[in-house]
């Protein structure tokens, strides 16, 4: 039998207290705490690098200690500003503070990580200009991985795997990042 939660108004079967569902029972002050968000971020990062069930992309990557991570970011002005804006936006997903590796070939070491908002982090790698080769002849230069995949009929993941040196080629093409120099 479903009951109505007095806090959110939804009908649910399970309740943490007599009148509040488990989602509403949480301590909202704790949910809005930047240190709690940091702890959860570190936990997700640690699982990504150590748990075999999470996939092999990050498995075995170097990772900083929890103490180093918390000590660096709990007083970091950039992180605290991003977190405050996220809370003020009523926890909008595209504004959530997201961890980013500055150099994707290195691990989650303390000198290689920074915080961006989720929106910036998700589009960061999309605009990577690439040069495509067929044997040693240049086929074309494309403004992004997505555009190159559409033009050549390749999967974006295949192009990313070549750029990350997991494969030497995809679809018979060799692909390189275009240097900005």
């Amino acid at each position: 039998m479903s009951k109505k939660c007095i806090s959110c108004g939804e009908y649910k079967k399970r309740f943490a207290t007599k009148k509040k569902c488990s989602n509403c029972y949480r301590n909202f002050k704790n949910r809005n705490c930047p240190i709690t968000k940091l702890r959860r971020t570190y936990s997700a990062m640690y699982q990504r690098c150590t748990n075999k069930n999470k996939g092999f992309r990050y498995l075995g990557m170097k990772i900083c200690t929890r103490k180093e991570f918390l000590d660096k970011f709990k007083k970091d002005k950039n992180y605290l500003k991003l977190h405050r804006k996220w809370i003020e936006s009523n926890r909008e997903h595209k504004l959530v503070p997201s961890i980013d590796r500055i150099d994707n070939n290195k691990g989650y070491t303390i000198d290689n990580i920074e915080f961006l908002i989720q929106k910036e982090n998700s589009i960061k790698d999309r605009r990577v200009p690439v040069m495509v080769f067929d044997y040693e002849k240049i086929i074309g230069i494309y403004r992004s991985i997505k555009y190159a995949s559409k033009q050549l009929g390749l999967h974006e993941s295949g192009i990313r795997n070549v750029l990350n040196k997991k494969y030497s080629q995809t679809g018979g093409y060799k692909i390189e990042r275009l240097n900005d120099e």
Side-chain angles (χ1 to χ4, degrees):
M1 182 176 151
S2 296
K3 293 181 183 178
K4 187 176 181 179
C5 175
I6 62 165
S7 189
C8 68
E10 292 185 23
Y11 286 92
K12 301 197 177 179
K13 290 183 179 179
R14 292 188 176 174
F15 281 78
T17 66
K18 289 183 179 179
K19 297 182 180 180
K20 287 189 180 183
C21 68
S22 53
N23 288 339
C24 296
Y25 182 70
R26 291 187 184 125
N27 181 348
F28 287 100
K29 184 178 179 185
N30 191 26
R31 284 182 65 207
N32 293 337
C33 175
I35 306 302
T36 301
K37 176 69 177 147
L38 277 176
R39 287 185 182 125
R40 289 179 179 162
T41 301
Y42 183 83
S43 179
M45 181 176 67
Y46 183 81
Q47 286 295 317
R48 198 178 302 137
C49 295
T50 58
N51 190 342
K52 292 179 183 176
N53 297 328
K54 293 282 185 181
F56 292 98
R57 182 173 181 192
Y58 301 102
L59 196 60
M61 215 176 248
K62 289 183 182 178
I63 186 169
C64 59
T65 65
R66 182 181 175 120
K67 183 178 181 345
E68 286 177 325
F69 182 79
L70 292 174
D71 287 346
K72 178 176 180 179
F73 290 111
K74 70 181 176 185
K75 295 180 183 174
D76 184 57
K77 290 180 182 179
N78 180 47
Y79 168 73
L80 294 173
K81 183 176 91 173
L82 293 174
H83 187 271
R84 189 183 73 251
K85 285 183 179 181
W86 174 57
I87 296 299
E88 288 170 357
S89 75
N90 201 18
R91 305 170 79 87
E92 191 174 337
H93 179 69
K94 66 182 182 180
L95 297 179
V96 67
S98 173
I99 196 150
D100 176 53
R101 286 176 291 141
I102 297 166
D103 182 356
N104 287 335
N105 296 324
K106 294 181 182 177
Y108 288 97
T109 57
I110 202 70
D111 59 333
N112 192 44
I113 52 179
E114 65 182 353
F115 273 92
L116 302 173
I117 61 171
Q118 178 67 33
K119 184 178 178 181
E120 289 175 356
N121 203 1
S122 66
I123 64 171
K124 181 182 168 200
D125 286 336
R126 285 193 209 158
R127 297 285 178 179
V128 175
V130 293
M131 193 171 2
V132 179
F133 297 90
D134 185 10
Y135 300 103
E136 296 300 319
K137 180 180 153 194
I138 297 177
I139 297 290
I141 297 174
Y142 300 94
R143 66 177 178 253
S144 68
I145 293 171
K146 187 172 189 170
Y147 187 71
S149 73
K150 284 184 178 180
Q151 294 295 314
L152 299 170
L154 301 172
H155 290 283
E156 286 184 52
S157 60
I159 294 173
R160 288 184 195 285
N161 285 333
V162 173
L163 293 174
N164 292 332
K165 304 207 181 330
K166 289 185 179 180
Y167 302 128
S168 61
Q169 60 184 11
T170 183
Y173 298 109
K174 291 186 177 185
I175 300 169
E176 294 179 6
R177 281 185 170 86
L178 191 63
N179 293 334
D180 295 330
E181 297 170 12

